[in-house]
């Protein structure tokens, strides 16, 4: 009786361990969509070296093709841009998704994955990113909301350079900062907003 109880406890512990997030190996079953999508979003964020991190909004397609020794999976994912820049160490799961008034951006990603012996490899992915609503649609919905400008907008970039120079004039700064990247440029009626990750020039 006692042995049986110990065994039951042990197998419960084994179950708990294998249910820990991220440890579960991917299999080729159809129900694998959410786990495969999670792996894909991690991969996409790890390889995304500019702009902002993305989070999964919806799995729009998941097709599994059985092949020798495993399967090929094709995922269609709808992602949303978060407010965490890629240099932000916060896990993307904890990042807030941008609201519509902040010119939300979405990504439609096609991900190809091969699963063999519990190992999943992303062989290819392609994302098409765009604003959730176009500038024209936004003007109708929210005339006062800022408008996103292309990142090569010359007026916008001029203002960014001026702002950086202005920022560096502050004598209480302990460092001189250089501009690493412009994440977004948006205009309001009379103002330009900057979201700049500024880096210490060391
Ligand atoms: C996403 O991309 C796929 C493949 O290019 C396309 O078939 C699908 O219609 C797109 N979905 C949306 C919502 O744009
Ligand atoms: C910005 O980039 C777009 C697309 O690459 C291009 O068509 C446009 O001419 C560029 N504008 C400026 C001001 O460089
Ligand atoms: C200069 O930097 C200090 C410390 O970061 C800040 O409190 C102050 O407002 C800045 N001054 C100007 C003119 O931006």
């Amino acid at each position: 009786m006692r042995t049986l109880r110990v065994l039951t406890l042990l197998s419960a512990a084994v179950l708990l361990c294998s249910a820990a997030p991220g440890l579960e190996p991917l299999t080729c079953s159809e129900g694998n969509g959410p786990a495969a999508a999670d792996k894909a979003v991690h991969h996409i964020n790890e390889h995304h070296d500019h702009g902002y991190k993305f989070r999964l909004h919806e799995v729009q397609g998941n097709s599994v093709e059985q092949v020798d020794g495993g399967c090929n999976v094709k995922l269609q994912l709808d992602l949303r841009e978060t407010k965490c820049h890629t240099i932000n160490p916060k896990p993307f799961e904890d990042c807030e998704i941008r609201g519509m008034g902040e010119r939300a951006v979405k990504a439609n990603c096609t991900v190809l994955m091969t699963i063999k012996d519990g190992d999943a490899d992303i062989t290819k992915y392609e994302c098409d990113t765009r604003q959730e609503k176009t500038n024209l649609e936004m003007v109708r919905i929210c005339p006062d909301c800022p408008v996103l400008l292309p990142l090569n907008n010359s007026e916008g970039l001029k203002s960014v350079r001026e702002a950086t120079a202005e920022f560096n004039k502050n004598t209480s700064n302990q460092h001189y900062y250089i501009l690493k990247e412009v994440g977004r440029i948006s205009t309001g009626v009379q103002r330009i907003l900057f979201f700049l990750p500024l880096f210490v020039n060391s």
Side-chain angles (χ1 to χ4, degrees), residues 103-154:
R103 315 315 316 262
V105 169
K106 63 178 178 181
N108 177 17
C109 301
T110 308
V111 182
L112 302 181
M113 195 185 286
T114 300
I115 301 177
K116 264 188 187 147
D117 310 320
D119 267 345
D121 267 327
I122 284 143
T123 49
K124 193 181 168 198
Y125 73 92
E126 228 168 348
C127 295
D128 170 29
T129 55
R130 60 183 62 194
Q131 290 188 58
E132 260 179 66
K133 299 264 181 268
T134 64
N135 280 339
L136 205 63
E137 286 171 325
M138 279 305 289
V139 169
R140 270 187 238 123
I141 304 167
C142 173
D144 294 331
C145 285
V147 169
L148 270 193
L149 298 177
L151 291 178
N152 62 357
N153 180 279
S154 39

